[in-house]
Amino acid sequence: MWTGARFMEQSMTYGRTEQERREAAGTSTMQDGAAYEMTSGEVANAREFVRDFLARAQTLYGESMSQRAVDVAQLVVSELATNVCKYAPGPCLLDLETDGTALGITMWDSGSVLPSASPADPTRVGRHGLELVLMVCQSFEIRREPVGKRVRVRLSLQDSPSGDPAGQTTW
């Protein structure tokens, strides 16, 4: 697996920290990416990548986020990565971006079949992953690419004052 953290370590060697790169670019977003040869063992690595990314956002930039948001982000990545394992095994790219209020998750894989949620059926065993993702995300987008497809979701990192997930969209 390659991660942007290696790039961060290299750039710090040359005297520029992640914060300095962010300020120089004039952006308030933090981005990172990882590549996987998607097998079932890599799903856990993708979850860990999300957890570490959000922890860095909190540590480096003081960004606040609820524990629920961190858990939901890991769940979403886990479900998307599991779909890649099942339906498009092979190379997979995972990109994360946060502005402190929301987390953008983009996953590319080489499979050409676009995912679709199954009709609601409480008796169905399995195949609820995309339904779960749609329930917790602010937005969901699928794009066909020249090779494969790209799925992009956006999650709120904040809860409402009542403790409910903020920014959730009903699908």
Side-chain angles (χ1 to χ4, degrees):
M1 173 189 76
W2 171 88
T3 69
R6 287 187 190 150
F7 174 75
M8 188 172 126
E9 291 168 6
Q10 289 173 346
S11 68
M12 289 176 77
T13 304
Y14 296 107
R16 292 189 83 179
T17 64
E18 175 71 23
Q19 177 70 31
E20 290 168 333
R21 281 199 322 274
R22 192 172 171 178
E23 290 169 359
T27 181
S28 61
T29 62
M30 179 177 160
Q31 301 173 328
D32 205 348
Y36 301 95
E37 187 63 36
M38 196 48 79
T39 60
S40 61
E42 293 283 43
V43 174
N45 293 335
R47 278 193 309 269
E48 181 180 0
F49 179 69
V50 172
R51 187 175 48 251
D52 292 346
F53 175 82
L54 293 174
R56 283 195 327 267
Q58 288 176 311
T59 302
L60 295 174
Y61 304 110
E63 293 180 0
S64 66
M65 58 196 72
S66 71
Q67 184 57 50
R68 178 212 53 86
V70 174
D71 294 342
V72 167
Q74 291 177 82
L75 170 70
V76 167
V77 166
S78 183
E79 292 299 335
L80 294 176
T82 298
N83 282 348
V84 173
C85 287
K86 285 182 170 182
Y87 305 111
C92 172
L93 301 176
L94 172 60
D95 293 315
L96 304 175
E97 178 178 356
T98 183
D99 60 6
T101 61
L103 174 67
I105 301 170
T106 304
M107 189 168 281
W108 170 88
D109 67 62
S110 61
S112 60
V113 177
L114 301 181
S116 62
S118 300
D121 179 0
T123 62
R124 181 178 68 241
V125 177
R127 295 186 30 217
H128 294 281
L130 191 53
E131 291 174 72
L132 291 171
V133 169
L134 292 173
M135 285 191 288
V136 298
C137 293
Q138 289 179 305
S139 65
F140 179 87
E141 175 185 7
I142 304 170
R143 286 193 178 174
R144 194 176 303 276
E145 297 288 334
V147 174
K149 65 187 164 296
R150 195 170 303 273
V151 176
R152 178 161 172 77
V153 300
R154 187 170 170 84
L155 305 170
S156 175
L157 291 175
Q158 308 297 321
D159 291 339
S160 71
S162 66
D164 295 328
Q168 188 173 335
T169 302
T170 15
W171 296 90

